[in-house]
Amino acid sequence: MSHPKTLLIKNIRILYGIDHRPYPFKRGKAMSFLDHIQNAFLFVDNGTIVDFGPQDSCSYETADQVIDATGKFVLPSWVDSHTHIVFAKSREGEFVDRIKGRSYEEIAASGGGILNSAKKLQETSFEELYRDAEKRLKEVISFGTGAIEIKSGYGLSFDAEIKMLEVIKTLKNKHPEIPIKSTFLGAHAIPSIYKNNRKAYIDIILNEMLPYVAEHQLAEYCDVFCDKGFYTVEETDLILKKAATYGLKAKIHANELAISGGVQVGIANNAISVDHLEETSQVEIDALKNSSTIPTLLPGTSFFLNIPFAPARKMIDDGLGVCLATDYNPGSTPSGNMPFLLSLACIKMKLLPEEAINAVTINAAHALELADLYGSIDIGKKAQLLITKPMESLAYIPYAYGSDLIDTVILDGKIQS
Ligand code: NIG
Ligand code: FE
């Protein structure tokens, strides 16, 4: 049987997320607009959107595959621009410890947290890591995610960091239907054995890990956890500057636990995005306004760790554009469920449904430098789409939290089973 090449989606109740070149990053008020067509069709050829419009103007009678989307909405797939889905074991023991009153920082300082994950990852084979990461990748695809970033950072030794990045590379090779961006996060924590000699570990990052990662093209980005108890602003600056000499662009974990200076050092290093920002003041908001660095907010982390939510409403009202991502990882956010993230953004951050959806589609595509082909609907863009179950309005997606509202996922023009 020949491979289906064309796909017609007809009778779409509303086609959302229509966009026009050059697909600008949406800021401020623009975040509440999500262009749409009621009663629409969309036609795909060989993985690319080649036509769409009102159903009554549809000239296609058939295709290799036809979907009747009566009552349903079609949107661009979600883009998850910040995850750590390669990890060895879950950490529900720490979850119970926190219920009993220990803080995330206390657990980390006593060898739990990231160090706990690093120990387990070092003991886990490439094959097992790959198998579990692939399961998580398939899981998030079923939630509607159609592009993703994955970080290293649970290795914390040369061998284990490279093992993680090789797992990500293998995911990329075996799953061409979903774009995957890889981020080197060797500076996620200081390994226990370097506790009293941080410089020695940082030297390994600078002089051994980064050159190898660059030479073997194992990552597009370099990230640092610049926060209280983790990496200082000076250490972060050193690592990001060295990474830049290898062509690795900066991303950053900042201001999760305290106002760390991470936002400013990210901006100074032309970071594509600064992520977390639960602890953010007007100073950081103003600094972001004068930069092209994207604030990426992770409401799942605030929910799970019971810490403040980043001031997304204030940022948008001040004219900033924001991106949202899951941060799927075993410690602070053990979920890659994008529809639930939309609910959190609306309920806890007071984003409108349209703002939340822009934050996980076109704006998130910008945070991964994928906006030319992903994150919105236009002729020439990739057919990376989701079809919802029948519903009355877009707000039903974040409103009906916890319900499975994704009916069909289409990646590279192909219906996923
Ligand atoms: O993005 N904050 C730093 N790193 C991860 C979580 C690390 C962990 O607890 O395993 C995050 O939240
Ligand atoms: Fe993270």
Side-chain angles (χ1 to χ4, degrees):
M1 196 186 107
S2 70
H3 199 69
K5 239 171 90 358
T6 54
L7 168 68
L8 170 64
I9 312 176
K10 62 181 187 181
N11 300 323
I12 303 166
R13 179 164 189 166
I14 309 183
L15 173 63
Y16 269 105
I18 296 162
D19 203 0
H20 309 285
R21 260 172 241 285
Y23 315 121
F25 180 73
K26 292 190 180 176
R27 294 187 168 80
K29 282 204 169 30
M31 282 197 71
S32 54
F33 296 108
L34 202 53
D35 204 359
H36 55 275
I37 301 175
Q38 297 204 19
N39 195 17
F41 79 95
L42 184 143
F43 196 79
V44 176
D45 191 357
N46 209 11
T48 298
I49 299 170
V50 294
D51 204 358
F52 64 90
Q55 182 63 45
D56 57 17
S57 71
C58 178
S59 58
Y60 306 92
E61 275 170 17
T62 190
D64 294 334
Q65 291 190 293
V66 179
I67 298 176
D68 187 336
T70 300
K72 302 171 181 178
F73 294 175
V74 172
L75 290 101
S77 298
W78 322 127
V79 175
D80 196 347
S81 69
H82 179 142
T83 83
H84 310 244
I85 63 166
V86 179
F87 60 85
K89 290 270 170 351
S90 57
R91 300 206 322 248
E92 62 270 30
E94 294 176 9
F95 168 70
V96 175
D97 287 346
R98 279 202 312 281
I99 295 172
K100 291 180 184 161
R102 287 187 86 200
S103 74
Y104 181 74
E105 285 162 281
E106 278 163 13
I107 293 168
S110 64
I114 297 167
L115 298 181
N116 175 359
S117 282
K119 187 166 176 293
K120 287 172 178 157
L121 188 135
Q122 287 167 11
E123 293 159 357
T124 304
S125 69
F126 174 93
E127 289 70 27
E128 194 176 334
L129 283 175
Y130 179 79
R131 195 197 58 209
D132 290 350
E134 188 182 47
K135 257 190 231 158
R136 292 178 199 117
L137 182 67
K138 289 181 179 168
E139 179 199 19
V140 302
I141 288 172
S142 77
F143 296 142
T145 297
I148 193 166
E149 181 257 21
I150 311 174
K151 299 175 196 294
S152 72
Y154 287 124
L156 303 185
S157 71
F158 181 92
D159 288 352
E161 281 294 308
I162 301 306
K163 181 167 65 175
M164 285 190 80
L165 292 168
E166 293 283 2
V167 169
I168 300 171
K169 189 176 175 177
T170 309
L171 286 170
K172 283 189 194 194
N173 292 339
K174 293 209 174 160
H175 293 278
E177 72 279 14
I178 178 166
I180 299 175
K181 293 278 178 129
S182 172
T183 300
F184 169 61
L185 177 58
H188 197 190
I190 299 282
S192 323
I193 50 164
Y194 293 100
K195 201 172 164 190
N196 299 316
N197 190 6
R198 317 167 53 88
K199 188 175 173 303
Y201 180 63
I202 294 168
D203 282 345
I204 294 172
I205 293 178
L206 297 174
N207 303 324
E208 294 176 34
M209 295 188 194
L210 274 172
Y212 188 94
V213 169
E215 191 193 334
H216 294 85
Q217 300 186 340
L218 289 173
E220 278 90 15
Y221 303 115
C222 178
D223 194 339
V224 178
F225 187 12
C226 180
D227 218 321
K228 192 175 141 208
F230 291 84
Y231 286 80
T232 67
V233 166
E234 293 69 30
E235 290 164 348
T236 303
D237 192 51
L238 197 64
I239 295 165
L240 295 182
K241 287 213 160 50
K242 182 76 183 252
T245 67
Y246 290 110
L248 296 180
K249 293 185 188 170
K251 282 193 169 270
I252 208 166
H253 280 71
N255 295 32
E256 176 186 359
L257 308 170
I259 295 205
S260 64
V263 170
Q264 289 82 348
V265 74
I267 293 170
N269 282 282
N270 294 317
I272 301 284
S273 68
V274 286
D275 303 21
H276 272 291
L277 314 189
E278 289 84 353
E279 301 289 340
T280 293
S281 72
Q282 190 65 41
V283 177
E284 282 74 31
I285 294 179
D286 290 342
L288 285 162
K289 269 193 229 165
N290 296 316
S291 81
S292 57
T293 295
I294 297 172
T296 294
L297 314 176
L298 313 169
T301 308
S302 302
F303 169 74
F304 188 74
L305 292 184
N306 250 321
I307 61 173
F309 284 80
R313 181 73 270 149
K314 166 96 179 97
M315 289 175 170
I316 297 172
D317 290 345
D318 269 21
L320 279 178
V322 307
C323 164
L324 295 167
T326 66
D327 197 18
Y328 191 176
N329 76 74
S332 71
T333 328
S335 166
N337 189 321
M338 270 288 194
F340 180 61
L341 186 86
L342 294 174
S343 299
L344 285 178
C346 294
I347 297 162
K348 296 291 191 181
M349 293 172 149
K350 303 256 178 283
L351 262 57
L352 295 168
E354 291 82 358
E355 291 173 324
I357 289 172
N358 274 315
V360 300
T361 54
I362 189 62
N363 280 7
H366 278 279
L368 292 187
E369 302 177 287
L370 289 170
D372 54 336
L373 288 177
Y374 297 89
S376 55
I377 306 286
D378 193 18
I379 290 172
K381 278 209 164 188
K382 294 296 286 185
Q384 214 78 351
L385 306 166
L386 62 90
I387 306 177
T388 69
K389 300 221 165 115
M391 55 182 68
E392 299 287 322
S393 81
L394 192 71
Y396 191 74
I397 300 175
Y399 158 85
Y401 75 92
S403 289
D404 175 12
L405 300 173
I406 308 297
D407 182 83
T408 306
V409 168
I410 295 162
L411 298 182
D412 197 23
K414 295 177 200 73
I415 300 166
Q416 307 295 297
S417 48

